[in-house]
């Protein structure tokens, strides 16, 4: 277990990854280093995880590591890459979590010839049930892919995708927890309307979503088959399903993911344009 990891930007996502990396035994605390913008945050991270964390210090942290996790906000990424660029080595892995920032832009800002991964995790990484999609550039070999997969498997499920599908991933699993929270919220409201207490409605709704998802995973059956197994002719479930179909539940979710994918694509284009404009302005 000799992997050295630097997490540049130990905020929500960065610290969730740090927690998973330590818990999952991907590496040990003394081989993990983190940075933040403020000394307060760095101190918090040191206290919470027992690792070294500094305010700034990105260059030193990057020089120390085999894997450099870029967990700052997309708009801060150019600044951080500018700081570490000179010291980067061909044997290091750059792993960006920045939403909407394509690998080609990272290569432009960090220099060519590096193994660059772009990942889109989602917020349940905090409870080690994240869904992460990973794209890689041509420099990434099988061993490097295994290392990056191990990092995300420590906080949930990880899959590899072609980079052009990252906007669809953002729309499905990146934003997806928000859709499911709405479903849970509405189920709780339904229970309340029908006289169940808030506490009981909440417990039943959250567990129903968790259990249904687990059954999809563990049986490997198509959700439509599992749904049919709950239906009895003339019964309660089919009367509710008829209502859901009438209001277009499935069609609504498909449209939501289509719209969010297009929004993610246009946000990515706008972000690239503004970063490139700022970089060319700075270079003049
Ligand atoms: N949250 C999500 O659900 C999610 C999902 C997918 C992808 N992502 C991506 O993950 C990245 C981080 O998101 P987040 O939600 O974790 O944001 P966040 O909580 O704001 O974390 C960003 C961290 O970066 C630190 N930082 C700012 N400037 C820095 C600098 N110059 N050097 C070192 N550290 C610096 C901040 O430090 P201070 O705390 O001291 O200000 C903060 O801790 C983003 O690129 C986002 O697109 C997030």
């Amino acid at each position: 277990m000799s992997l050295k990891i630097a997490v540049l930007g130990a905020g929500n996502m960065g610290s969730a990854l740090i927690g998973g990396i330590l818990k999952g035994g991907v590496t040990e605390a003394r081989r993990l280093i983190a940075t933040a913008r403020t000394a307060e945050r760095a101190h918090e991270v040191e206290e919470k995880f027992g690792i070294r964390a500094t305010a700034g210090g990105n260059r030193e942290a990057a020089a120390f590591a085999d894997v450099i996790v870029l967990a700052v906000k997309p708009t801060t990424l150019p600044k951080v890459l500018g700081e570490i660029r000179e010291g980067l080595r061909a044997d290091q892995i750059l792993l960006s979590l920045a939403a909407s920032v394509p690998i080609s832009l990272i290569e432009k800002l960090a220099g060519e010839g590096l193994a660059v991964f772009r990942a889109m995790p989602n917020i349940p990484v905090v409870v080690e049930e994240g869904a992460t999609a990973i794209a890689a550039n041509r420099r990434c070999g099988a061993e490097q892919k295994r290392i990056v997969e191990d990092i995300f498997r420590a906080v949930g499920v990880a899959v590899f995708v072609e980079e052009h599908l990252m906007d669809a991933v953002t729309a499905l699993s990146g934003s997806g927890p928000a859709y499911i929270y709405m479903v849970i919220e509405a189920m709780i409201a339904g229970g309340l309307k029908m006289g169940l207490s808030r506490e009981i409605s909440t417990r039943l709704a959250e567990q129903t979503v968790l259990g249904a998802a687990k059954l999809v995973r563990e049986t490997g059956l198509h959700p439509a088959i599992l749904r049919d197994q709950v239906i009895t002719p003339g019964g309660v479930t089919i009367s509710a399903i008829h209502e859901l179909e009438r209001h277009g539940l499935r069609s609504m979710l498909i449209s939501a993911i289509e719209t969010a994918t297009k929004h993610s694509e246009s946000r990515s284009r706008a972000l690239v344009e503004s970063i490139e404009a700022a970089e060319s302005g700075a270079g003049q």
Side-chain angles (χ1 to χ4, degrees):
M1 197 171 56
S2 61
L3 199 65
K4 290 190 229 155
I5 303 176
V7 177
L8 310 186
N12 290 321
M13 194 46 82
S15 54
L17 265 191
I18 292 168
I21 286 168
L22 292 173
K23 202 167 164 187
V26 178
T27 196
E28 52 203 317
R30 66 192 175 87
R31 295 184 178 274
L32 195 50
I33 185 167
T35 67
R37 184 177 54 87
T38 57
E40 291 76 16
R41 180 64 190 157
H43 184 65
E44 260 174 43
V45 171
E46 281 195 327
E47 291 283 296
K48 183 166 181 193
F49 299 110
I51 64 169
R52 195 147 47 97
T54 60
N58 291 317
R59 194 172 300 138
E60 297 72 21
F64 158 87
D66 303 308
V67 181
I68 302 163
V69 182
L70 302 161
V72 291
K73 291 282 189 197
T75 46
T76 314
L77 194 63
K79 179 175 180 288
V80 170
L81 285 174
E83 286 170 27
I84 67 173
R85 180 186 168 114
E86 288 305 314
L88 292 173
R89 306 183 301 270
D91 63 337
Q92 290 177 307
I93 294 173
L94 268 187
L95 167 53
S96 169
L97 310 184
S100 304
V101 181
I103 289 175
S104 58
L105 183 59
I106 297 168
E107 289 170 334
K108 206 183 270 183
L109 297 170
E112 300 288 327
L114 295 161
V116 181
F117 290 89
R118 173 182 171 193
M120 173 50 68
N122 67 4
I123 204 61
V125 294
V126 171
V127 289
E128 288 133 38
E129 287 293 353
T132 303
I134 309 162
N137 75 354
R138 266 182 276 124
R139 298 276 170 179
C140 301
E143 177 60 11
Q144 292 168 316
K145 286 183 179 166
R146 190 195 56 75
I147 289 170
V148 169
E149 192 178 4
D150 278 354
I151 290 175
F152 289 108
R153 284 181 57 179
V155 288
V157 167
V159 296
F160 281 92
V161 297
E162 294 292 324
E163 193 188 10
H164 70 94
L165 295 170
M166 273 299 188
D167 295 299
V169 165
T170 305
L172 173 60
S173 52
S175 303
Y179 321 151
I180 302 304
Y181 297 142
M182 288 175 77
V183 170
I184 296 174
E185 180 192 355
M187 287 175 73
I188 293 169
L192 281 170
K193 185 168 187 196
M194 293 299 113
L196 294 174
S197 73
R198 184 174 300 281
E199 195 194 340
I200 286 177
S201 271
T202 305
R203 289 315 301 277
L204 293 179
E206 76 196 13
Q207 182 61 29
T208 299
V209 171
L210 198 67
K214 200 167 175 188
L215 211 51
V216 172
R217 174 174 303 163
E218 291 192 2
T219 61
L221 290 172
H222 191 285
I225 294 176
L226 291 167
R227 184 198 60 204
D228 262 15
Q229 288 173 356
V230 187
I231 294 173
T232 48
V236 172
T237 307
I238 192 64
S239 68
I241 284 175
H242 186 200
E243 261 324 290
L244 294 172
E245 292 290 38
R246 192 183 357 237
H247 294 285
L249 177 75
R250 285 184 298 168
S251 173
M252 218 158 35
L253 284 169
I254 295 166
S255 291
I257 290 169
E258 184 181 33
T259 302
T261 302
K262 288 180 183 157
H263 189 82
S264 176
E265 285 165 357
S266 66
R267 189 184 60 171
S268 180
R269 277 193 298 275
L271 187 73
V272 170
E273 277 169 24
S274 81
I275 290 176
E276 286 184 340
E279 289 296 305
S280 72
Q284 281 165 10

